[in-house]
């Protein structure tokens, strides 16, 4: 049987069936079934092969539609036509963040230690319960630094948020 005599849909199906059963995953039984059973059924369902270019003779009401590029402004919703979305800004990390993860608590130098002790003396009543809950010098230094940052910039949202989280954590216990 010549391929030119078969309907185009059947020829296309036959090519794909051959590729799947003989090239991709060799399966002689499936290829034999396709040739002996499925091929005849598909030919009957497809009908005769269209001849010529006059589509009015066949079951088609009009010529097949083809896609064409419009010269006017496009109104389609293709994502290719949209401008590229800008990249998100790089994350700016605060002091002490040189690598991913939590920053290490840095020991206080002499000047900073004096400043932190001044903050502690001025806010002893507030810090009493918090400092007793913070175990270890590094955690106590972190508490004092958080309060110092909040007192220095009370309008700073991040400093306020860090201080409130710390106070809530102590009150929950």
């Amino acid at each position: 049987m010549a391929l030119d005599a078969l309907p185009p849909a059947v020829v296309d199906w036959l090519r794909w069936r051959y590729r799947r059963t003989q090239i991709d995953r060799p399966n002689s039984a499936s290829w034999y079934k396709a040739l002996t059973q499925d091929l005849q059924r598909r030919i009957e369902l497809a009908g005769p092969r269209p001849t010529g270019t006059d589509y009015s003779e066949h079951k088609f009401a009009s010529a097949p539609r083809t896609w064409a590029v419009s010269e006017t402004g496009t109104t389609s919703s293709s994502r290719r036509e949209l401008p590229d979305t800008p990249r998100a800004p790089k994350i700016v990390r605060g002091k002490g963040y040189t690598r991913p993860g939590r920053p290490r608590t840095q020991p206080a130098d002499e000047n900073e230690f004096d400043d932190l002790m001044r903050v502690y003396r001025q806010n002893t009543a507030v810090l009493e319960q918090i400092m007793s809950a913070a175990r270890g010098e590094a955690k106590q230094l972190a508490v004092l630094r958080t309060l110092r940052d909040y007192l220095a910039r009370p309008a700073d949202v991040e400093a306020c948020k860090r201080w409130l989280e710390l106070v809530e954590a102590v009150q929950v216990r």
Side-chain angles (χ1 to χ4, degrees):
M1 184 177 294
L3 291 179
D4 293 340
L6 295 175
V10 175
V11 173
D12 188 45
W13 171 81
L14 202 54
R15 284 186 184 122
W16 278 103
R17 195 90 222 97
Y18 178 80
R19 175 178 285 277
R20 295 291 169 253
T21 60
Q22 298 301 110
I23 296 173
D24 292 345
R25 293 184 187 156
N27 185 348
S28 298
S30 181
W31 176 240
Y32 181 75
K33 178 183 177 276
L35 289 177
T36 57
Q37 298 171 12
D38 299 338
L39 178 61
Q40 194 59 36
R41 184 177 47 83
R42 285 191 176 255
I43 291 173
E44 290 169 6
L45 288 174
R49 180 181 179 91
T51 56
T53 56
D54 186 15
Y55 291 99
S56 61
E57 297 175 6
H58 303 288
K59 61 182 175 182
F60 303 112
S62 63
R65 294 191 296 174
T66 57
W67 179 81
V69 177
S70 65
E71 303 263 340
T72 62
T74 58
T75 59
S76 69
S77 60
S78 172
R79 291 181 63 189
R80 292 182 181 192
E81 295 169 2
L82 300 175
D84 291 340
T85 54
R87 289 188 176 192
K90 262 193 156 186
I91 297 174
V92 178
R93 296 179 154 257
K95 178 181 167 188
Y97 283 95
T98 56
R99 61 185 100 117
R102 290 182 57 193
R104 293 182 179 164
T105 303
Q106 303 294 324
D109 63 1
E110 198 170 312
N111 293 334
E112 185 185 22
F113 195 74
D114 291 340
D115 188 38
L116 292 175
M117 285 302 107
R118 183 183 49 76
V119 169
Y120 178 73
R121 283 189 298 275
Q122 290 174 352
N123 301 289
T124 305
V126 174
L127 288 170
E128 205 171 298
Q129 185 181 5
I130 297 172
M131 293 300 267
S132 66
R135 302 278 183 224
E137 184 180 339
K139 289 186 179 181
Q140 290 176 346
L141 283 174
V143 168
L144 290 172
R145 286 175 176 149
T146 305
L147 179 59
R148 178 195 59 194
D149 293 345
Y150 171 66
L151 292 174
R153 298 181 310 275
D156 183 12
V157 176
E158 287 299 316
C160 180
K161 186 169 85 172
R162 283 192 300 272
W163 176 247
L164 289 175
E165 286 173 357
L166 195 138
V167 171
E168 285 177 355
V170 171
Q171 288 181 352
V172 169
R173 292 180 190 174

